Amino acid sequence: MSRRSSSSSSTTPADPSQPEGLGGLVEKVQACTVCAPSLPHSPRPVLRVSPTARLLIVGQAPGRRVHETGIPWNDPSGDLLRQWLGMTREQFYDVSRIAIVPTGLCYPGTVKGSDLPPRPECAPLWHPPLRAAMPDIGLILL
């Protein structure tokens, strides 16, 4: 995959004080290119959110397989997490009940065979407006 040039336009988050539907916010998140110059591939933010979700799962950052499929926790670590939670895939991916927003929304790449840590731009940029748009979250699993 190719790296995006630094001339890419950046997307900034919505002003949380402005009324905006969650759908519009998600569109902005998915179009985000803030960290593009630091990624070894094109950005592909991976998240699942709903205004009715009661549980928010926050992991580190998508891995290569999740980046390729666009499905969060779609790897062996997700299988183990679902087992620990006692949930089927169907229950886990019921976005009306469970939101998934990683700390870093895009796959950061690897170094020496290990995934890099999440990019530092994502959480402060996107988590506050996303959390504000999901008022029914009663539990956050980190």
Side-chain angles (χ1 to χ4, degrees), residues 2 21 37 41 44 58 66 84-85 94 96 99 111 114 120:
S2 65
H41 48 73
R44 184 179 190 186
V58 179
V66 171
W84 286 341
L85 294 171
D94 179 355
S96 71
V111 65
S114 297

Side-chain angles (χ1 to χ4, degrees), residues 46 61-68 75 106-108 115:
V46 177
R64 180 191 51 80
R65 185 171 175 189
V66 171
H67 173 77
E68 291 170 354
D75 55 20
C106 294
Y107 173 52
D115 286 349

Side-chain angles (χ1 to χ4, degrees), residues 30-99:
Q30 291 175 330
C32 182
T33 59
V34 170
C35 64
S38 303
L39 297 177
H41 48 73
S42 297
R44 184 179 190 186
V46 177
L47 71 157
R48 288 178 164 242
V49 293
S50 167
T52 61
R54 304 265 305 137
L55 170 63
L56 172 60
I57 298 175
V58 179
Q60 289 191 33
R64 180 191 51 80
R65 185 171 175 189
V66 171
H67 173 77
E68 291 170 354
T69 65
I71 302 169
W73 295 95
N74 188 32
D75 55 20
S77 66
D79 295 338
L80 187 56
L81 177 59
R82 286 185 290 279
Q83 181 182 8
W84 286 341
L85 294 171
M87 290 184 180
T88 65
R89 282 183 70 89
E90 182 178 280
Q91 291 168 324
F92 186 81
Y93 290 117
D94 179 355
V95 73
S96 71
R97 297 176 56 214
I98 299 174

